[in-house]
Amino acid sequence: MERGLEAEKRLRQAELARDRARTACEEKDRTVRGLEEACQKLLREKAGLTTEMDTQRREIAERTATIGEKTQRVRDLEKKNQELEKFKFVLDWKILELQAKVAPRDWEIKERTEEIKERDQELERYKKQKAAFDLEMETHASTSPACRSRWATSPSGSRRPGRTWAASRRTSARRASSWET
């Protein structure tokens, strides 16, 4: 019996060991399945990250190309700006030269304008003096019959002593031409 008890004890121990082994095996199977699921998840993440990395690389390549184009455009614009600065300098110089040429003319125009105003004022004074003189002569001629014969009548009806109307027009034309020079 002792042997039977020992065999039974061994049998129980073997069953317990088998149960433990089965439990350990199931536990390992669950761990393996969990690891396989984790591995699949990591592979999916890796694929997603690889796709995202490729997308990022393409975007970086596009941006690099855009930066290169913009940099070239900036260089071209800087060259064009330098050329325009040169043109500006040349045109500014020409403007200064033209202003230097025009300034004396402006001064001369101003001087001539003042001269014309002075002559206009002088002409107005002469007209007033002539009108006063003509009025005085008409008054004097109408009061003195001896003076009437000395006055010649012009086509406009104004009277001038000792001159014909045509002679007075020639004198006026000579004065006007001397003012123009």
Side-chain angles (χ1 to χ4, degrees), residues 19-117:
D19 286 343
R20 273 190 233 136
R22 188 181 288 159
T23 306
C25 189
E26 287 174 0
E27 178 95 10
K28 286 184 181 182
D29 283 345
R30 276 186 290 223
T31 303
V32 167
R33 272 188 250 127
L35 289 174
E36 284 177 348
E37 288 175 6
C39 183
Q40 291 297 324
K41 184 179 176 184
L42 288 174
L43 287 174
R44 284 191 299 270
E45 280 184 33
K46 179 185 172 194
L49 290 174
T50 303
T51 304
E52 187 177 330
M53 192 169 68
D54 291 341
T55 304
Q56 294 291 332
R57 283 184 181 149
R58 277 190 300 255
E59 189 173 322
I60 288 171
E62 289 173 4
R63 287 184 180 184
T64 302
T66 303
I67 288 171
E69 291 170 3
K70 300 276 183 181
T71 304
Q72 184 61 40
R73 176 81 172 135
V74 166
R75 284 188 200 123
D76 292 343
L77 288 173
E78 285 174 347
K79 281 183 182 179
K80 191 170 186 176
N81 194 23
Q82 287 175 349
E83 289 176 18
L84 290 173
E85 286 293 329
K86 288 177 187 176
F87 282 126
K88 180 185 177 285
F89 178 78
V90 169
L91 292 175
D92 284 345
W93 185 258
K94 285 184 180 181
I95 287 171
L96 289 174
E97 286 179 346
L98 290 173
Q99 285 175 342
K101 287 181 182 178
V102 170
R105 288 183 185 161
D106 287 342
W107 180 77
E108 187 176 336
I109 289 170
K110 184 178 177 184
E111 196 174 87
R112 296 286 177 157
T113 304
E114 290 175 11
E115 190 177 314
I116 288 170
K117 285 179 185 176

Side-chain angles (χ1 to χ4, degrees), residues 145-158:
C147 289
R148 280 188 210 160
S149 62
R150 294 183 60 206
W151 288 83
T153 306
S154 70
S156 64
S158 67

Side-chain angles (χ1 to χ4, degrees), residues 165-180:
W165 179 78
S168 68
R169 295 300 285 161
R170 283 191 295 271
T171 307
S172 297
R174 274 189 240 128
R175 279 190 203 140
S177 68
S178 69
W179 286 347
E180 290 175 2

Side-chain angles (χ1 to χ4, degrees), residues 8 10 68 118 125 136 144 167 175:
E8 221 176 273
R10 274 195 215 156
E118 289 173 4
R125 268 195 324 269
E136 185 180 323
S144 167
R175 279 190 203 140

